[in-house]
């Protein structure tokens, strides 16, 4: 099957400044929708429903809650080659970087 050779890469977004009240402590893909779901669940669900089950999520900004959500939500059988994994490149606001250097 061809989908065993396909890897999906989902870009996890940046600061999300236009959604500021919701993205004060989290990245845009980690914003909750419909209760327990997050914005990132939409493209992950699209991949899984398209039988693409090898998924990387590239995260950038304040990704701790997003990483935790993905780790706790997506589990595949041991007999499956499917996975949802996070490739993190952490970015924080410039102001926070300056504060952490001063400490």
């Amino acid at each position: 099957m061809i989908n065993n050779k396909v890897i999906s890469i989902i870009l996890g977004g940046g600061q999300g400044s236009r959604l500021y009240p919701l993205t004060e402590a989290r990245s845009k893909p980690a914003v909750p929708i419909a209760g327990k779901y997050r914005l990132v669940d939409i493209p992950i669900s699209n991949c899984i429903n398209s039988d693409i089950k090898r998924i990387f999520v590239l995260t950038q900004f304040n990704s701790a809650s997003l990483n935790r959500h993905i780790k706790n939500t997506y589990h595949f059988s041991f007999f499956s080659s499917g996975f949802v994994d996070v490739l993190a490149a952490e970015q924080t606001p410039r102001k926070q970087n300056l504060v952490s250097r001063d400490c």
Side-chain angles (χ1 to χ4, degrees), residues 3-4 6-11 40-57 74 76 82-84:
N3 287 341
N4 288 334
V6 174
I7 293 178
S8 174
I9 299 174
I10 298 172
L11 300 177
V40 75
D41 291 329
I42 296 167
I44 291 174
S45 175
N46 288 344
C47 290
I48 292 171
N49 289 323
S50 298
D51 202 31
I52 298 171
K53 295 191 171 96
R54 296 168 11 137
I55 304 165
F56 286 106
V57 179
Y74 296 100
F76 291 94
F83 61 85
V84 178

